[in-house]
Amino acid sequence: MATTYEPVIGLEVHAQLFSKTKMFCGCSISFGAPPNTQVCPVCLALPGALPVPNARAIELAVRAALALGCTVNERSVFARKNYFYPDLSKGYQISQFDLPLNTGGKLVIDTPSGPREVGITRIHVEEDAAKNLHGVGHGTDTLVDFNRAGTALIEIVGEPDLRNADEAEAYLKKLREVLMFVGVNDGNLEEGSFRCDANVSIRPVGQEKFGTRCELKNINSFRFVRKAIEYEITRQEAVLSAGGTITQETRTYSDGLGKTIPMRTKEDAHDYRYFPDPDLPPLVITRAFIEKLRVTAPELAEQKRTRWQKELGVTLYDATVLTGHPKIADYFEEAAAALAGKDASPEARAAAGKKVANFVQSEVLRTVTTRGLEAEFAVSAEYVAELLRLVEGGSISGKMAKDVFAEMITTGRSASKIIEQKGLSQVTDTSVIEAAVAEVLAANASQVEKYKAGKTSVVGFFVGQIMRATKGAANPQLVNDILKKMLDAQ
Amino acid sequence: MSDTKITLEDVRKVARLSRLALDEAALAQMRGELSKILGHVASLNALDVSNVEPTYHAVPMNAPLRADVVQASLPRDEVFASAPKTEAGGFAVPKVMDGEG
Amino acid sequence: MTSQALCALSGIEIQKKVASGDVSAVEVTNAFLERITHQDRKLHAFLYVDAEGALAQAATVDRARKAGETLGPLAGVPVALKDNLCTRGVPTTCASKILAGYVPPYDADAVERLRRAGAIAVGKTNMDEFAMGSSNENSAFGPVKNPWDETRAPGGSSGGSAAATASSMASFALGSDTGGSVRQPGAFCGVTALKPTYGRVSRFGLIAFASSLDQIGPFARSVREAARVLSVIAGHDARDATSTTTAVDDYEAECGKEVRGLRVGVVADALGAGVDAEVVKATRAAVAKLAELGCEIVDVSLPHATHALAAYYLIAPAEASSNLARFDGMRYGLRKTGDDLTATYGTTRAEGFGPEVRRRIMLGTYALSAGYYDAFYVKAQKVRTLIRRDYDAAFKKCDVVLTPTSPTTAFKLGEKTSDPLAMYMADIFTLPPSLAGLPAVSIPGGYSADGLPIGLQLTGRAFDEKTLVRVSDAYERASGWLSRRPSEIV
Ligand SMILES: [Zn+2]
C-alpha cells in the first residue's frame, strides 16, 4: 500500500519597514531613484563608516510584533552575519541572531475547516542587500545598485505549522494584511518590499519527526508561492515513493519551467560566523515605550470586519472587500460616519453603513488606485456621504446618483452643486407631475383610447412622454402612481 | 581547545571562508603559524568561566537611536571615485551566479 | 624665527604665537614641511605629505586672525594623522596595497574636530597595515625608523605618528590604539601617548581593526599638549553608536596640580620575569619619584592579566576578520580580476593584504567559525569580564595603576618579524587596559644605557583621563625627562 504523506511548511517573510531612511544611515529609500544615488559611506561600506540604528524602524518592528502577539524583548542584540556577495557591501549583514527583538507570536488564518493558529517563532530587524542587475551591461559583468542596500527589514520566521499550499497562501495574505494595517509595510510584492522563502518537507502521515526540508527562495507572488509549494510537495512525494531520499538544498521557482530547481550553493554558505556587532551596543527599549505602542496600535482588518458586521450593517463579504486596503477601510468608515451623522442611533448607523458599503463597492472601488500604503480616491468620502444623503432625502433617485457620481469624478464638484447647476433635482411635487400627466394625456387622445380598450402596454409610452416633459426629473414612482390614477379616471 | 590541532583541511576551509586565495605552500605555512598561536591561546583552558558573563562591549551602554530624517547622499562622482569598474550607473563586478560569492 | 626654532616650540607656544600674530600659521606650516622634507627621508614616518592642503588651511587660520576671529586651541599647530583616519580628498591607505590610492569623501570625526580647532594636518603617517603590528614592519610601504636609533623599530602600529612627533615633524599626532598601538610606539619613541577610555573619542572615520577595542589617541612631546589635544578630539558623536555622552573634562587644567594623596597601584607581576632589567629599574625609580611627590603607593594585583594576550588574539582577529571583509575589490581599492567572482575575491584579498593581516583574518575567521565560536570567541569575551573585574577591585584600592608600557625598549628592525608570537608579547602590558576599555597613557620614564626611551604606563578608571593627566604631568615635571630629544637627523 502506498504511503500517504503530509506536507510540513514554514514560511520566512522579509518585509521592508515603511520608514523614510535606511536602517543604519540617513539615505532615503524612495523607490525608483537612479542607481547609486541614495548611498552614503555607511551603506556603501566605505572604510571608517559606522552604523546608527533608525528609531522609526525599531518602532515599526515593535508595532508589527505587537500586532502578531509577540513578546517584545526589552534587550536585544544586533549581530553580524558574515558572507561575501557583491550585493553585501560590508561583507556582513547586520541582523539579529540569538537575542532577537521579538519572539513567540501567532497568526490566525482561515481554512476550510475553520480558523487555525500558526505560530511565529521570532521577528527580528535587519538590513536589506543591494540589487544585482544581470544582463544590463555591455559585457558579462553584473552591475550593482546600492540604493536598496541597508533598507530596514523585519524577518518574520513562522513555525512549520502549515500543511498545504492553500494554508501557506492564506498565511501570507493575512500577514501582509496585518503589516499593511499596522502601517509598517506597503505590501508590495512586485517591488520586493514583501518577500517570502518557504521551507517545505513531507513526512508519512502520523509520523512525528520532520522530513528533510528544502528551502524555496525568491518567490515574488502569491500565485508563485502556491505553485512552487505544490510542485515541491509533488516532487518530494515522487522522490520518496520511488525509494529515494530528499537532499537538503536551496531551490528556486521558475515560472517558465513551472517547477522548482536547485540553486548553486557553496558548501561553506551556512557558516555565517554570527557574532554580536561590536559597533552596536545592545538595543534596549523600555516597557513604557512598548506599552505606549500597544495602546496606540491601529485596529487590524480582522477587528474591523467583526465590528462592521456588528455595527455597520455589512456582510462578511462586504467587510472583506472593504478591508482590501487600509485606506479603503478608512474611506468606508469616514463616509459611513458622515452619512449617519453625529449622535446617530445604532440602527441609523447600521443603515448608513449598509448604504455606503453598497455604493463604495458598486461605484467607488472602480475609481480607486492604490500604490503601496497610499490610495487615491477620485471623490472624497465626505462628498460620497453627501451624495447618498441626497438620495436618502429623495432629492435624486438612486439611478441618478450614479450619473451624478460620474459627474463628480470629472468635475470634482459636490453632488449638491451638480444637481443645482443641472437642475437635476428630482420632482416630487405631485401637482407638478399631475400637470405634466394631464398635458400628455390631452395631447395623445388616441393612445388614451387604446388604453381604455385594454391595451395597457401604452403605459410605457405615457411614462416616456411624461419623463421627457419633466426632463427626467420626475420621481418615477410618483409618475407611475399618478398616471395610473388619472388614466383610470378618464 | 587545548588539543586543538588545526589541520591543513581546516586551514583550507578557513581560507575559503575568508576569501583568501592561498597556494599550498602558503596554506602549510599558515597552518604552522596558526598552530603556534592557538597553542598559546589554549592557556585559557586553565580558567573556569562557566559562570562568567561575556563582555562584548567594554563600556556598558545602550544603542542610541537616530531620528528617521533623510540626510544627503553622496554625489555620484564621489560614489564612483575609487571604483575599480563602473557601468551604466552601477558598480561593475564579475558575473554573479546563484549562490556564488 | 628660524624654521628650526619654530619646530622646536611646543604646540601650546605655537598656538599662542599664531593667535597673537607673532608668527603666521603659514610660516609655521612651511617650517614643518621643510623639516619633514629633511627628516623623513630617513625615518619614513609619512606616507603622504599634504603640503597644499596644509598651507591652504594655514592661510584660513591667518585670515581668521586678521578678521579678528577667536582662534581655536590648536590654531596653526601642525598635526600628523595616522593613515587609518579618513581625510576628505587626501589619500588614506592603512599602509595597505588593497587601499593604495584610495581617497575618502569625508573626514573622520576626530579630524573634523582638529580642523575646527585650527590644527594644520601636514600629512598621513605610516603604520602597520590595518594597525596590525607592534613594529611598523607590517607596512606595505616599508617600515618607519625609530628617531632615537634608525636601526630600531619605532613600535606599532602607530609608529609613524610616534616617530613624527618625537622628531618634531609635527607638534603632535593622532594614532589609534587597539591593543597598545598608541602607547607602545609612544614608549619606543619617548613621547606622551594616550589611549582614551573606549567611547571617549568618536571612531567615525577611523578605519576599523577591532571595533570593540579601537580608540583614537594623541601623541605629543609633553603631557600638557596631549591633554589639550584630547580636549579637542573627545566628545559625543551621533555617528558612532559607541560614542559616550559622558561630559568632557578640562584635561589641561589638571596640569600643574599636586598629586599628594593620590594612590598609585603597583602590580608586582609586571616587574617580574620577561621584563628587561632596565625597564624594571626605571619603573621602580618612577614609583619612588611618585612617592616623593606625596603619592601613596599600594600593591594591587591583576590576576587575570596574564590571560589578556590569549583573549586579545581571539577577540581582535575575530572582529578584524569581519571588519576587513569590505575590502573585496568590488566598490573601491585594489581589484585583481580572476576567472570568476570567487577567484576575484580570493586573489584580490590574498594579494592586497600583507602576511600579518592575512594571518589575523584567518585566525579570526577560525575563532568565529562553526564549532569553535563558544570555545574561542565567547570564552575570550568571558576572560575580558574577569580582567574588568580585576581592575574594578584594583581601583577600590588605588586611583591609577602603574606598569611599564612595554617589557623592552625599542627592538631592532627585523628582530621579531619571523616569530609572530614573540612580536605579540610586546603588548602584554598594554592589552589588559584595552580589553577593559580603560584609559591609559604612556609617558617617558627614563632611558636605557644605550639611550633608548623607556615608557611608563598609567591606567585609570573609565572616563578618568583627568587623573592620568594630573599624575603624568606631575611626574613629567619632577623627572625632567621632557628636555630629552632624539638627536637631529642629518
Ligand atoms: Zn546610506
Side-chain angles (χ1 to χ4, degrees):
Chain A
M1 202 182 81
T3 319
T4 330
Y5 292 99
E6 174 190 50
V8 174
I9 304 157
L11 299 180
E12 288 170 13
V13 169
H14 287 90
Q16 284 184 1
L17 294 172
F18 202 66
S19 52
K20 288 193 183 68
T21 67
K22 296 184 180 181
M23 184 65 223
F24 296 108
C25 66
C27 288
S28 167
I29 54 169
S30 62
F31 191 79
N36 293 303
T37 53
Q38 295 180 343
V39 293
C40 73
V42 177
C43 52
L44 275 180
L46 296 191
L50 295 170
V52 182
N54 181 341
R56 175 77 180 148
I58 300 298
E59 181 193 321
L60 293 175
V62 172
R63 283 193 184 279
L66 292 173
L68 292 165
C70 289
T71 303
V72 180
N73 299 311
E74 286 171 69
R75 185 176 178 281
S76 66
V77 168
F78 290 108
R80 292 185 183 180
K81 179 181 183 180
N82 295 282
Y83 64 96
F84 286 89
Y85 209 58
D87 66 9
L88 189 68
S89 54
K90 296 186 293 296
Y92 57 85
Q93 178 197 30
I94 305 177
S95 181
Q96 297 192 300
F97 187 51
D98 48 6
L99 294 167
L101 181 57
N102 315 291
T103 40
K106 64 175 193 296
L107 185 66
V108 179
I109 59 168
D110 292 316
T111 72
S113 52
R116 215 153 95 62
E117 206 174 86
V118 182
I120 288 170
T121 318
R122 55 187 278 154
I123 301 178
H124 65 255
V125 282
E126 59 183 31
E127 54 177 344
D128 209 343
K131 230 181 202 148
N132 289 335
L133 308 165
H134 309 280
V136 290
H138 297 303
T140 57
D141 282 350
T142 294
L143 303 182
V144 193
D145 171 13
F146 287 90
N147 282 354
R148 197 183 68 183
T151 300
L153 297 179
I154 41 175
E155 179 174 343
I156 302 155
V157 182
E159 292 284 324
D161 290 347
L162 303 163
R163 292 293 170 264
N164 55 52
D166 286 338
E167 290 183 3
E169 191 179 342
Y171 172 88
L172 286 177
K173 285 187 167 161
K174 188 71 173 287
L175 183 58
R176 176 174 176 271
E177 178 188 86
V178 168
L179 297 182
M180 287 181 75
F181 272 76
V182 180
V184 310
N185 178 260
D186 67 8
N188 200 324
L189 276 77
E190 304 84 66
E191 287 172 13
S193 51
F194 184 93
R195 306 195 290 271
C196 165
D197 299 335
N199 289 307
V200 179
S201 65
I202 58 171
R203 62 183 173 190
V205 168
Q207 179 183 300
E208 189 88 9
K209 198 167 154 277
F210 291 141
T212 306
R213 64 177 198 198
C214 287
E215 190 180 7
L216 310 182
K217 274 200 175 299
N218 307 335
I219 331 178
N220 58 5
S221 83
F222 290 130
R223 199 165 60 89
F224 290 177
V225 166
R226 161 185 295 284
K227 287 169 118 181
I229 291 173
E230 279 171 353
Y231 176 86
E232 187 59 19
I233 291 168
T234 314
R235 184 189 72 86
Q236 292 187 13
E237 277 172 356
V239 170
L240 293 186
S241 301
T245 51
I246 304 294
T247 318
Q248 183 167 348
E249 63 185 353
T250 305
R251 302 173 71 89
T252 185
Y253 179 71
S254 158
D255 190 44
L257 300 172
K259 51 182 177 176
T260 66
I261 45 175
M263 289 171 81
R264 276 184 45 174
T265 44
K266 284 259 181 298
E267 57 220 278
D268 60 19
H270 294 293
D271 197 346
Y272 289 127
R273 291 156 284 136
Y274 280 101
F275 72 107
D277 191 333
D279 286 330
L280 293 163
L283 174 63
V284 175
I285 49 179
T286 63
R287 191 53 35 205
F289 178 75
I290 299 168
E291 288 315 312
K292 192 186 102 195
L293 295 190
R294 199 190 299 278
V295 172
T296 58
E299 190 179 28
L300 298 178
E302 182 76 65
Q303 295 161 330
K304 286 188 191 293
R305 288 192 285 267
T306 310
R307 182 168 60 80
W308 292 353
Q309 288 178 70
K310 252 190 271 168
E311 299 175 0
L312 296 179
V314 301
T315 63
L316 174 60
Y317 176 83
D318 295 336
T320 305
V321 172
L322 295 171
T323 49
H325 189 280
K327 285 283 194 290
I328 293 172
D330 290 347
Y331 185 95
F332 164 68
E333 293 211 73
E334 190 188 335
L339 180 60
K342 260 196 241 158
D343 309 319
S345 68
E347 292 74 23
R349 290 182 59 217
K354 182 70 201 164
K355 279 178 192 154
V356 171
N358 289 340
F359 191 77
V360 168
Q361 289 178 84
S362 66
E363 301 302 318
V364 179
L365 282 186
R366 314 184 251 121
T367 72
V368 181
T369 47
T370 60
R371 197 193 137 74
L373 286 178
E374 296 307 315
E376 227 176 278
F377 295 87
V379 172
S380 73
E382 202 185 314
Y383 273 19
V384 164
E386 190 207 19
L387 174 64
L388 296 180
R389 203 176 300 121
L390 291 169
V391 175
E392 209 171 67
S395 302
I396 53 170
S397 68
K399 185 172 172 299
M400 275 171 68
K402 295 184 182 185
D403 299 333
V404 172
F405 184 69
E407 194 74 18
M408 289 165 78
I409 293 170
T410 52
T411 62
R413 298 205 185 96
S414 71
S416 51
K417 259 265 158 44
I418 290 167
I419 290 165
E420 184 198 309
Q421 279 175 350
K422 299 211 152 189
L424 289 178
S425 212
Q426 197 173 34
V427 177
T428 51
D429 185 336
T430 47
S431 62
V432 173
I433 296 173
E434 277 165 6
V437 172
E439 206 176 301
V440 167
L441 293 184
N444 296 283
S446 62
Q447 306 290 345
V448 174
E449 287 314 311
K450 282 184 185 167
Y451 177 81
K452 281 185 179 166
K455 202 163 184 216
T456 51
S457 62
V458 293
V459 167
F461 165 79
F462 287 123
V463 170
Q465 293 298 308
I466 294 159
M467 290 311 280
R468 189 181 299 163
T470 56
K471 294 195 179 75
N475 181 309
Q477 194 56 51
L478 284 176
V479 170
N480 272 326
D481 294 350
I482 293 169
L483 174 66
K484 189 150 191 299
K485 200 161 54 185
M486 290 176 72
L487 272 175
D488 293 344
Q490 292 276 323
Chain B
M1 157 159 84
S2 60
D3 45 330
T4 306
K5 286 278 184 289
I6 185 164
T7 65
L8 201 57
E9 216 24 68
D10 291 335
V11 178
R12 193 170 285 130
K13 183 192 154 212
V14 172
R16 199 165 51 228
L17 274 175
S18 308
R19 296 298 182 274
L20 290 169
L22 303 179
D23 61 23
E24 287 305 309
L27 288 171
Q29 192 192 337
M30 188 67 83
R31 181 187 172 203
E33 290 161 354
L34 292 186
S35 298
K36 203 164 166 192
I37 298 164
L38 290 169
H40 176 83
V41 160
S43 64
L44 294 186
N45 279 320
L47 289 172
D48 177 12
V49 291
S50 44
N51 293 317
V52 180
E53 280 298 307
T55 294
Y56 294 112
H57 295 92
V59 176
M61 49 177 104
N62 302 335
L65 298 177
R66 171 180 62 80
D68 186 28
V69 176
V70 174
Q71 306 285 324
S73 290
L74 279 176
R76 265 284 183 104
D77 55 334
E78 292 192 0
V79 169
F80 294 126
S82 297
K85 200 174 175 191
T86 63
E87 190 183 335
F91 289 89
V93 306
K95 190 173 177 204
V96 175
M97 317 280 258
D98 279 346
E100 189 193 37
Chain C
M1 279 181 96
T2 63
S3 286
Q4 198 153 0
L6 274 176
C7 296
L9 295 175
S10 76
I12 310 280
E13 291 163 322
I14 288 174
Q15 193 273 348
K16 205 181 285 172
K17 284 188 186 296
V18 168
S20 67
D22 274 3
V23 62
S24 74
V26 168
E27 279 174 81
V28 172
T29 304
N30 274 319
F32 277 87
L33 289 172
E34 191 187 325
R35 185 169 173 84
I36 292 170
T37 310
H38 291 131
Q39 300 287 303
D40 207 41
R41 276 198 296 252
K42 291 210 174 141
L43 293 181
H44 197 215
F46 285 89
L47 290 177
Y48 187 86
V49 178
D50 183 22
E52 202 183 315
L55 287 168
Q57 183 142 23
T60 308
V61 169
D62 289 335
R63 267 197 307 278
R65 193 195 63 78
K66 286 194 190 113
E69 291 169 30
T70 311
L71 296 189
L74 296 171
V77 184
V79 54
L81 301 168
K82 188 177 182 178
D83 206 31
N84 58 355
L85 290 161
C86 286
T87 43
R88 182 177 170 81
V90 176
T92 302
T93 69
C94 284
S96 178
K97 276 196 283 183
I98 212 159
L99 274 181
Y102 173 72
V103 179
Y106 72 100
D107 274 334
D109 181 70
V111 174
E112 263 180 16
R113 286 173 192 261
L114 288 180
R115 292 198 203 281
R116 276 203 300 273
I120 312 296
V122 292
K124 306 299 291 287
T125 59
N126 204 349
M127 56 187 280
D128 283 300
E129 185 180 2
F130 282 103
M132 298 177 188
S134 307
S135 70
N136 238 274
E137 291 161 295
N138 297 332
S139 167
F141 308 118
V144 181
K145 313 276 171 59
N146 191 313
W148 297 84
D149 177 346
E150 290 165 49
T151 66
R152 290 179 188 271
S157 65
S158 315
S161 287
T165 307
S167 59
S168 302
M169 290 191 282
S171 291
F172 70 99
L174 292 190
S176 69
D177 190 314
T178 305
S181 279
V182 161
R183 291 159 285 160
Q184 186 255 17
F188 278 20
C189 292
V191 294
T192 297
L194 191 151
K195 181 200 91 77
T197 311
Y198 184 81
R200 179 71 291 171
V201 177
S202 168
R203 293 183 298 114
F204 185 80
L206 167 66
I207 301 177
F209 161 15
S211 313
S212 76
L213 298 160
D214 296 342
Q215 265 296 288
I216 296 168
F219 292 90
R221 292 192 295 278
S222 69
V223 173
R224 182 182 287 272
E225 289 167 275
R228 183 175 294 189
V229 175
L230 179 61
S231 301
V232 168
I233 62 172
H236 179 250
D237 176 14
R239 297 169 297 182
D240 172 4
T242 62
S243 162
T244 184
T245 50
T246 311
V248 177
D249 291 315
D250 181 352
Y251 305 112
E252 202 178 339
E254 296 301 304
C255 296
K257 283 190 180 170
E258 278 210 35
V259 290
R260 188 165 299 281
L262 279 178
R263 298 166 303 166
V264 175
V266 176
V267 188
D269 289 346
L271 298 170
V275 185
D276 273 7
E278 285 186 297
V279 172
V280 173
K281 199 175 132 203
T283 310
R284 290 197 197 286
V287 171
K289 181 64 82 183
L290 288 167
E292 224 174 82
L293 294 171
C295 288
E296 186 188 328
I297 308 299
V298 293
D299 285 332
V300 295
S301 71
L302 302 170
H304 298 97
T306 50
H307 297 291
L309 186 69
Y312 177 84
Y313 277 96
L314 289 172
I315 296 166
E319 293 183 7
S321 71
S322 176
N323 284 333
L324 270 57
R326 66 184 58 194
F327 303 104
D328 59 3
M330 297 294 132
R331 299 166 313 289
Y332 49 81
L334 181 77
R335 177 188 293 181
K336 291 276 178 189
T337 306
D339 290 343
D340 58 14
L341 177 63
T342 308
T344 303
Y345 276 139
T347 316
T348 298
R349 290 166 56 81
E351 292 187 20
F353 294 132
E356 182 63 22
V357 175
R358 292 200 297 264
R359 196 148 47 228
R360 296 206 198 180
I361 290 174
M362 291 284 291
L363 183 57
T365 303
Y366 184 69
L368 289 176
S369 64
Y372 300 105
Y373 178 72
D374 287 323
F376 286 130
Y377 187 72
V378 177
K379 180 145 199 182
Q381 298 287 28
K382 288 180 169 186
V383 171
R384 199 170 177 180
T385 305
L386 297 177
I387 292 170
R388 281 180 62 196
R389 287 184 194 162
D390 284 355
Y391 278 108
D392 287 346
F395 284 123
K396 288 205 172 82
K397 292 163 70 180
C398 67
D399 301 304
V400 293
V401 172
L402 176 70
T403 64
T405 307
S406 174
T408 67
T409 53
F411 45 79
K412 292 269 188 190
L413 286 165
E415 190 182 323
K416 301 192 181 196
T417 40
S418 59
D419 185 354
L421 200 54
M423 185 76 86
Y424 298 170
M425 292 292 182
D427 299 331
I428 51 167
F429 297 130
T430 51
L431 292 174
S434 290
L435 288 169
L438 299 174
V441 63
S442 177
I443 52 171
Y447 293 83
S448 67
D450 43 6
L452 295 172
I454 293 169
L456 297 174
Q457 175 177 254
L458 291 160
T459 304
R461 296 185 182 92
F463 301 110
D464 190 18
E465 286 83 359
K466 230 166 63 165
T467 305
L468 290 185
V469 168
R470 184 170 169 188
V471 177
S472 304
D473 169 74
Y475 174 79
E476 180 184 87
R477 281 181 285 122
S479 69
W481 300 130
L482 184 56
S483 57
R484 281 235 210 169
R485 301 269 40 102
S487 49
E488 290 295 298
I489 290 158
V490 280

